[in-house]
Amino acid sequence: MPKYNKVTPELIQKLLDLLGKHNMTTDPEKLDVYKTDEETNPAYFHTPEVVVFPETTEQVAAIMKLANEYMVPVTPRGGGSSLACQAIPVYNGIVLCLEKMNKIIEVNKEALYMIVEAGAVTTAVQSAAKEAGLYYAGDPSSKASSEIGGNVATNAGGSRVVKYGTTRDQVYWAEIVTPTGEITQVGKRLQKNTTGYALEKLICGSEGTLGIITKLCLKLRPIAPYHFDMVAIFTDETKALAVPNQLLMAGVQPTAIEFLDNKGIQSEERFMNMTLPHSKDNGNYIIITIDSYDQDDLDNRVATADEICEKNGSVETLVADDRIWGARYNIGEAARNDSQIWLAEDIVVPVDKIADLMAQIPAIEKKYGIATTTSAHIGDGNIHVNALKMDMPMEQWNEVIPKYHNELYTLVYSLGGCLSGEHGIGLRKINEMKKFTDPVSLDMMKAIKKALDPNLILNPGKIFTYDED
């Protein structure tokens, strides 16, 4: 890793000339806000020396050129909703916030696309599509606070992945500023394109290490007029976890298949101060969304889903109302309500291996004295195990967590899985990335990073480092 310089008064003046006083700050109290994102463990906190708020792509490019000239690191930041420390400025320097670049530029109803700036909040993107009678399929749990550029940078997932794919699958093209300050567009508004490397796919999920996304062309879809949400409640977790593949094999093709374990349900009851169905008799929830363009088709698929759940031993099937979806979407807030220090895992395994993973997690919890709640996008094998620091002293927590992680991740990889399904690697999983990733693959990633960012200026200290080189 190169030696970075501190932000100098000369650089501050150049940034001031470029952006104006209203678009930057060096105020210590304001800088303190940007020392973290959703991370609550102070061990990860780093405070920037200056925060900038560009309003145009050209300003972003000029900032990157200055950063290279002065050898100062830049950390891009969207809504600050990262769960893997992607927006924490590990080497201080400049935090570059995109919140002022938040315009919905175009919604094209006939051609089914939207052009939007990267700082637009995800719910604003969804609302703009809905106002046009269309549908943006990206739906991360953090949609009320996350920005669309951050969704793309982390290849966010969410509940609708089982039908529509991750955020990467919602993007036609992205305008980016390269680490050296050039402006380019990667991808095109095409259904097919094999003209060279698919650079737009590479940028999606690169966690702000290969370029700063400033503008996007997103895919839109017609809204299916018929919709049903159901929740099937199981006391046998293993039988519940067999449902996703059975639904797909039966041709039900749900839009979402979500899971919430009993400990998570009880955590939500404490957080939301309400009683949820079958919480006291070991109920586990499978939440299924089915959409259709035909009422009879919807009715048939809902009936098939209900029959599959009943055959698998569901104790009751109900309409999934706002309480149920609130419990699923607020699982992170409920975890924070139980413990200010907690870790949100987003491991991913093949769908047919979910039951194997879940069966072995309790033994790992017990071995290390870790309390957990679990939710999942079980339609795509993405499991969120929230580890909570309850009555454990901080010193013990810091000692136990690496051992807990090592055993959990070893299990995940033995089942053909990976460290992250949607949150990314960031700073938090950087050591595990090195340990569990094939070294040839890791070297390829490092070579790409070095080629595009020769000074290693952009979001350093994320995904991997060059310290060992």
Side-chain angles (χ1 to χ4, degrees):
M1 185 66 68
K3 180 176 175 56
Y4 299 113
N5 295 324
K6 292 292 184 182
V7 174
T8 63
E10 182 180 322
L11 176 55
I12 291 292
Q13 185 58 53
K14 289 189 177 183
L15 291 171
L16 189 61
D17 294 342
L18 173 67
L19 301 169
K21 188 176 182 180
H22 61 294
N23 281 336
M24 61 180 291
T25 185
T26 55
D27 183 307
E29 284 191 20
K30 293 178 180 178
L31 294 179
D32 192 61
V33 174
Y34 297 92
K35 68 186 177 186
T36 188
D37 38 35
E38 285 293 318
E39 179 57 57
T40 57
N41 188 342
Y44 291 103
F45 294 176
H46 296 275
T47 304
E49 296 159 80
V50 59
V51 179
V52 295
F53 304 89
E55 296 182 350
T56 68
T57 300
E58 289 72 23
Q59 287 180 340
V60 175
I63 292 165
M64 288 310 304
K65 288 180 178 178
L66 285 171
N68 279 276
E69 179 184 346
Y70 285 87
M71 277 300 291
V72 172
V74 175
T75 303
R77 183 183 178 100
S81 59
S82 165
L83 292 169
C85 305
Q86 280 103 337
I88 292 178
V90 177
Y91 296 94
N92 312 110
I94 301 169
V95 164
L96 190 153
C97 290
L98 291 152
E99 62 188 50
K100 291 192 175 184
M101 297 177 63
N102 60 7
K103 298 181 186 69
I104 308 289
I105 297 169
E106 179 186 0
V107 179
N108 192 305
K109 296 171 63 173
E110 289 71 31
L112 300 177
Y113 70 85
M114 175 190 297
I115 297 176
V116 60
E117 289 185 319
V121 175
T122 310
T123 49
V125 172
Q126 292 175 329
S127 296
K130 188 174 182 180
E131 286 173 11
L134 299 172
Y135 180 68
Y136 172 67
D139 194 43
S141 296
S142 61
K143 57 190 174 184
S145 58
S146 64
E147 295 173 7
I148 192 67
N151 289 180
V152 175
T154 56
N155 190 30
S159 61
R160 301 171 185 166
V161 169
V162 64
K163 184 172 184 179
Y164 295 111
T166 60
T167 301
R168 181 180 281 131
D169 300 301
Q170 317 311 322
V171 176
Y172 276 124
W173 55 255
E175 177 186 85
I176 66 166
V177 173
T178 70
T180 54
E182 303 297 321
I183 300 171
T184 189
Q185 178 184 305
V186 292
K188 287 184 177 292
R189 191 171 61 81
L190 299 170
Q191 295 295 338
K192 297 171 70 177
N193 181 6
T194 55
T195 309
Y197 298 145
L199 296 177
E200 73 280 9
K201 302 294 186 184
L202 180 62
I203 291 297
C204 297
S206 64
E207 303 185 34
T209 63
L210 301 181
I212 300 173
I213 298 163
T214 54
K215 193 182 298 178
L216 292 156
C217 182
L218 303 172
K219 300 175 185 178
L220 301 179
R221 294 170 170 82
I223 297 174
Y226 303 103
H227 174 98
F228 192 81
D229 288 317
M230 61 187 289
V231 55
I233 303 169
F234 295 80
T235 55
D236 187 323
E237 187 179 272
T238 301
K239 291 181 178 178
L241 296 172
V243 167
N245 270 353
Q246 292 179 16
L247 292 174
L248 297 176
M249 289 171 64
V252 173
Q253 188 57 54
T255 302
I257 317 174
E258 298 292 295
F259 173 78
L260 189 60
D261 79 345
N262 187 254
K263 290 180 292 183
I265 293 166
Q266 294 192 24
S267 176
E268 287 291 1
E269 287 186 320
R270 292 188 292 272
F271 175 62
M272 299 192 300
N273 193 27
M274 65 170 61
T275 300
L276 292 167
H278 294 274
S279 63
K280 301 300 186 289
D281 54 350
N282 198 39
N284 300 274
Y285 294 170
I286 298 289
I287 310 167
I288 303 166
T289 297
I290 302 173
D291 295 317
S292 181
Y293 293 92
D294 179 83
Q295 182 68 63
D296 290 340
D297 173 65
L298 178 72
D299 293 343
N300 289 335
R301 289 199 283 150
V302 169
T304 301
D306 184 48
E307 183 180 341
I308 288 170
C309 291
E310 186 177 345
K311 284 184 177 179
N312 273 45
S314 62
V315 297
E316 189 172 12
T317 302
L318 304 168
V319 174
D321 56 19
D322 289 343
R323 294 176 309 154
I324 302 299
W325 276 114
R328 173 61 189 92
Y329 279 132
N330 291 321
I331 187 66
E333 294 304 314
R336 183 177 284 107
N337 181 62
D338 285 336
S339 173
Q340 282 297 306
I341 303 296
W342 64 290
L343 292 174
E345 298 301 332
D346 79 311
I347 48 183
V348 58
V349 295
V351 175
D352 60 297
K353 297 294 184 181
I354 298 173
D356 295 337
L357 174 72
M358 296 293 288
Q360 296 185 60
I361 285 178
I364 299 175
E365 295 172 11
K366 185 176 180 181
K367 180 176 180 179
Y368 297 103
I370 300 289
T372 70
T373 59
T374 301
S375 61
H377 310 298
I378 57 170
D380 53 59
N382 191 189
I383 315 297
H384 297 299
V385 182
N386 297 319
L388 314 176
K389 189 189 83 64
M390 302 298 279
D391 300 323
M392 186 181 293
M394 196 67 195
E395 290 181 4
Q396 183 182 352
W397 171 263
N398 288 333
E399 181 180 339
V400 161
I401 280 297
K403 299 174 183 177
Y404 161 78
H405 278 161
N406 183 66
E407 191 153 343
L408 177 62
Y409 298 149
T410 298
L411 170 61
V412 167
Y413 275 80
S414 74
L415 296 171
C418 285
L419 290 171
S420 174
E422 58 186 1
H423 296 168
I425 302 303
L427 169 63
R428 177 180 277 179
K429 293 184 179 180
I430 203 165
N431 292 327
E432 290 80 8
M433 180 71 174
K434 179 181 178 182
K435 177 174 181 178
F436 289 99
T437 304
D438 175 77
V440 176
S441 296
L442 196 61
D443 283 345
M444 290 174 68
M445 295 181 205
K446 288 184 174 185
I448 293 168
K449 167 68 172 173
K450 186 69 174 176
L452 297 180
D453 187 7
N455 290 323
L456 303 178
I457 287 292
L458 188 56
N459 214 9
K462 311 296 166 58
I463 308 179
F464 45 74
T465 71
Y466 291 81
D467 293 340
E468 65 270 24
D469 296 345

